[in-house]
Amino acid sequence: MPDQAASGTLRFEVLGPLRAWRGESELYLGQAQQRIVLSALLLHANHPLSREQLMKAV
């Protein structure tokens, strides 16, 4: 089984504070607005979001 850190596998936690890991390393997700956009994209995975929907989320 390949090492997650080497393969670039990402894991996200969306219940509670938004968090992300690459392998065993937790990633910095930026300022509040960046985290809001990322959370909107994660919660609507595999569905396109318009610019207006993203702006409304922020």
Side-chain angles (χ1 to χ4, degrees):
M1 185 157 119
D3 178 33
Q4 286 184 344
S7 68
T9 301
L10 295 174
R11 291 184 298 125
F12 295 96
E13 184 177 285
V14 295
L15 295 176
L18 178 63
R19 298 170 71 189
W21 292 266
R22 176 176 283 130
E24 297 298 318
S25 301
E26 187 167 357
L27 303 174
Y28 173 68
L29 298 178
Q31 300 298 322
Q33 289 179 330
Q34 292 170 306
R35 292 190 311 270
I36 290 168
V37 169
L38 176 58
S39 65
L41 293 171
L42 288 170
L43 291 172
H44 294 89
N46 301 317
H47 299 284
L49 290 178
S50 68
R51 185 179 330 167
E52 290 76 23
Q53 289 171 304
L54 290 173
M55 288 175 16
K56 186 176 179 181
V58 173

